[in-house]
Amino acid sequence: EKIAVRGITSTDKEVQFTIVKVPDKPGIAAKIFKALGDAHIAVDMIVQTVSVNGYTDMSFTVSENDAPLAKEILEKVAKEIGAEKVLMDPDVSKVSVVGLGMRSAYGVAGKMFDVLAKHNINIKAISTSEIRISCLIARKYTELAVRALHEAFIENDKVNFVGDK
Amino acid sequence: EKIAVRGITSTDKEVQFTIVKVPDKPGIAAKIFKALGDAHIAVDMIVQTVSVNGYTDMSFTVSENDAPLAKEILEKVAKEIGAEKVLMDPDVSKVSVVGLGMRSAYGVAGKMFDVLAKHNINIKAISTSEIRISCLIARKYTELAVRALHEAFIENDKVNFVGDK
Ligand SMILES: C[C@@H](O)[C@H](N)C(=O)O
Ligand SMILES: C[C@@H](O)[C@H](N)C(=O)O
């Protein structure tokens, strides 16, 4: 299957929230996102890894406009669920490699992360699906990242070794 | 914009790996996923939240066939990058709510998590994109989760309140 990386996208009018040390039991995620849903706040890039010792962190992004209200709601919910704290990072942008068959493409993720590493761009969060790999990075690197990824995946497509054996 | 939840999907022939406490500096993610890419191992659902105190966890899924080789590679890379340990959970399945405009749909995530919570299904990991919200759950709950989500989002669509004002 020929892997087709279709393009590189970025969005930067977002703010990332992280709720640190939430208890890992049923109902916790529902409480957090119903509270945001009830306030008509759209969320993107929800990311939660597995819990270690019964606690885990959850992070997600909201639009800059919604950030003040989201912060208020989250601090209230964090207390109710017994989380440790709420972190807010307004300095994020999301860069994504978008394509088809990303799931079976061994190598796309490694290559994307390698391009960012070569430009000394730290990855703040990662989220993937079958059609895209997204990274949150510091906003000041958005243009550099998009240009470097475009060069690696689109312009130099012929050296694109990703799993199309 | 009318939010269209198109369907509920699930996959269960996957194994989740978590690398606990990786240093949060450029190049770390590249090292992990290039090692897997070089071994032609396809990864799915890569999830990393922000670091707290300079370390973070990363988790992702591979197919059951690739799991033994992935475990060998990851234990070697974990030592090289100074991570704490590698966890492997073979008992996972991924359930997803798939649709259009999920990003602007406040309420979809909260509703999905609430349905799982009502059936006392714990969420092991979360990952979202514009077209889908995915949760990793214990494999024994796959059918229950798919049926409950289908009822909430597809069968009872007319009560589907998600942000379509
Ligand atoms: C941490 C959170 O996702 C929890 N496991 C839940 O099911 O709500
Ligand atoms: C943790 C890992 O993602 C690291 N921040 C990196 O850029 O590689």
Side-chain angles (χ1 to χ4, degrees):
Chain A
E1 173 195 348
K2 180 79 188 130
I3 307 302
V5 173
R6 293 272 180 262
I8 310 294
T9 67
S10 73
T11 62
D12 66 1
K13 297 250 179 304
E14 298 194 348
V15 171
Q16 184 185 38
F17 284 97
T18 302
I19 306 180
V20 179
K21 233 180 141 186
V22 301
D24 180 26
K25 53 175 203 275
I28 295 293
K31 224 181 161 68
I32 296 167
F33 291 99
K34 278 174 72 187
L36 293 169
D38 291 347
H40 292 199
I41 294 176
V43 290
D44 196 15
M45 206 164 167
I46 302 173
V47 173
Q48 176 207 320
T49 52
V50 288
S51 71
V52 185
N53 308 328
Y55 292 91
T56 188
D57 302 337
M58 303 180 81
S59 69
F60 51 89
T61 56
V62 302
S63 71
E64 274 180 339
N65 295 340
D66 287 335
L69 179 57
K71 185 167 158 46
E72 217 182 285
I73 291 170
L74 292 169
E75 290 188 343
K76 195 165 139 278
V77 173
K79 279 208 190 72
E80 285 169 25
I81 60 178
E84 192 181 294
K85 59 186 167 182
V86 175
L87 302 175
M88 186 172 119
D89 185 349
D91 172 40
V92 297
S93 76
K94 183 172 79 173
V95 286
S96 304
V97 170
V98 187
L100 295 171
M102 305 293 263
R103 164 82 186 90
S104 53
Y106 61 83
V108 176
K111 186 174 179 180
M112 177 183 189
F113 303 153
D114 198 38
V115 168
L116 296 175
K118 286 209 168 65
H119 291 84
N120 212 28
I121 298 173
N122 193 44
I123 303 168
K124 293 179 179 237
I126 301 171
S127 169
T128 68
S129 76
E130 287 72 9
I131 60 155
R132 80 167 44 218
I133 300 176
S134 296
C135 289
L136 280 189
I137 61 172
R139 206 171 275 186
K140 67 178 183 235
Y141 293 124
T142 312
E143 223 173 295
L144 171 64
V146 170
R147 201 175 303 137
L149 290 169
H150 197 270
E151 192 186 312
F153 282 104
I154 311 288
E155 285 155 39
N156 291 333
D157 187 51
K158 57 192 171 301
V159 300
N160 202 345
F161 64 89
V162 299
D164 56 7
K165 299 278 177 291
Chain B
E1 174 194 347
K2 181 80 189 131
I3 304 303
V5 173
R6 294 269 181 266
I8 310 295
T9 67
S10 72
T11 62
D12 66 1
K13 297 251 181 299
E14 300 194 346
V15 170
Q16 184 185 39
F17 284 97
T18 301
I19 308 181
V20 179
K21 238 181 136 182
V22 301
D24 181 26
K25 51 176 204 270
I28 294 293
K31 221 179 164 70
I32 296 167
F33 292 98
K34 279 174 71 184
L36 292 169
D38 291 348
H40 294 199
I41 294 176
V43 290
D44 194 18
M45 208 167 168
I46 303 173
V47 174
Q48 176 208 322
T49 52
V50 289
S51 72
V52 186
N53 308 329
Y55 292 92
T56 186
D57 301 336
M58 302 180 82
S59 69
F60 51 91
T61 57
V62 301
S63 71
E64 274 179 343
N65 294 342
D66 287 334
L69 179 57
K71 184 166 156 50
E72 220 180 282
I73 292 170
L74 291 169
E75 290 187 342
K76 196 165 136 276
V77 173
K79 278 205 190 73
E80 284 168 19
I81 61 176
E84 190 181 299
K85 60 186 167 187
V86 175
L87 301 174
M88 185 173 114
D89 184 350
D91 173 37
V92 298
S93 76
K94 183 172 79 174
V95 286
S96 305
V97 171
V98 187
L100 296 172
M102 305 292 264
R103 164 83 183 88
S104 54
Y106 61 83
V108 176
K111 185 173 177 179
M112 177 183 188
F113 303 153
D114 197 39
V115 168
L116 297 176
K118 285 212 169 65
H119 291 83
N120 212 28
I121 298 173
N122 194 42
I123 302 168
K124 293 178 181 238
I126 301 171
S127 168
T128 67
S129 77
E130 289 70 13
I131 61 156
R132 80 169 43 221
I133 298 177
S134 297
C135 289
L136 279 187
I137 59 173
R139 206 170 276 185
K140 68 180 182 228
Y141 293 126
T142 312
E143 223 178 291
L144 171 64
V146 170
R147 201 175 302 137
L149 290 169
H150 196 271
E151 195 187 308
F153 283 104
I154 310 291
E155 286 154 38
N156 292 332
D157 187 49
K158 56 191 171 303
V159 301
N160 204 345
F161 65 89
V162 298
D164 55 11
K165 297 276 178 294

